[in-house]
Amino acid sequence: MLKTLFPAPLLSLLLVPLWLVMTQSYTLANLTLAIILGLGMPIFSASLRPLHVRVRKPLRIIRLCFVVMIDAWHSNLMVIRILLQPRLARETEGVFVRIPLQMRDPNGLAALAVITTITPGNAWAELSMDRSALLLHVFDGRIDPELVIRTVKERYERPLMEIFE
């Protein structure tokens, strides 16, 4: 019964101050609306939330975060270099790379989507219906597609599988 009324208590707790800050109104009426939204939104959006997450190797998350941070930093530098050198910008044409996936966990796939999109120069374009392949747009088309596949699989997919599957 309590879980039905409060399916995501932390989300409810965070929605109230978030609403107040976003509206920049701290009146009693707005506080009441924030509480109603804070309690109601988790109930109405329960079907949109992912399944319960079972993290198998929590320390692996920290290591993966550092890998992503380093890769994003490196990618930033490469994109800046391409954009600041007109000759390179003219030579660079984005390409799509199809990456075969072993991971099937929806939470792991969501994390992979965030990781591949957060890295400048890349964009998650499509996930096949059976979740067996990812289509990734890579800004620097001069890069070897096999290197992109190997990087995604070794640096991101394998650790995510260790964490979620």
Side-chain angles (χ1 to χ4, degrees):
M1 176 71 176
L2 195 59
K3 189 69 172 168
T4 306
L5 291 176
F6 303 105
L10 182 61
L11 181 60
S12 292
L13 192 64
L14 293 174
L15 281 173
V16 172
L18 180 65
W19 178 263
L20 293 173
V21 169
M22 284 182 8
T23 60
Q24 295 182 359
S25 173
Y26 305 100
T27 64
L28 181 59
N30 202 37
L31 176 62
T32 305
L33 179 60
I35 291 170
I36 291 169
L37 288 173
L39 295 174
M41 290 304 291
I43 294 169
F44 295 117
S45 65
S47 63
L48 300 175
R49 266 184 259 116
L51 304 171
H52 177 70
V53 178
R54 182 168 177 230
V55 176
R56 299 187 194 290
K57 295 185 179 179
L59 293 179
R60 189 73 173 110
I61 295 171
I62 296 168
R63 207 159 103 204
L64 179 61
C65 286
F66 280 112
V67 167
V68 171
M69 195 169 49
I70 290 166
D71 288 354
W73 182 75
H74 182 260
S75 185
N76 269 312
L77 292 177
M78 296 306 292
V79 169
I80 288 170
R81 183 174 159 252
I82 289 170
L83 293 175
L84 291 179
Q85 294 181 351
R87 181 185 57 79
L88 281 177
R90 282 191 301 274
E91 293 174 5
T92 303
E93 186 175 313
V95 295
F96 287 93
V97 178
R98 185 164 302 282
I99 302 168
L101 296 175
Q102 294 173 305
M103 181 170 42
R104 297 293 184 265
D105 181 81
N107 295 303
L109 289 169
L112 183 62
V114 170
I115 290 170
T116 55
T117 304
I118 204 170
T119 308
N122 295 335
W124 175 290
E126 176 184 77
L127 179 65
S128 64
M129 292 298 284
D130 64 355
R131 298 181 179 173
S132 66
L134 151 69
L135 186 63
L136 185 69
H137 181 267
V138 180
F139 177 67
D140 188 356
R142 300 170 303 151
I143 195 165
D144 178 24
E146 288 302 316
L147 177 63
V148 173
I149 293 169
R150 201 168 46 251
T151 299
V152 170
K153 292 192 74 57
E154 291 174 8
R155 293 180 69 86
Y156 310 135
E157 184 187 29
R158 186 171 3 126
L160 286 168
M161 287 175 69
E162 290 174 14
I163 292 167
F164 291 109
E165 294 185 347

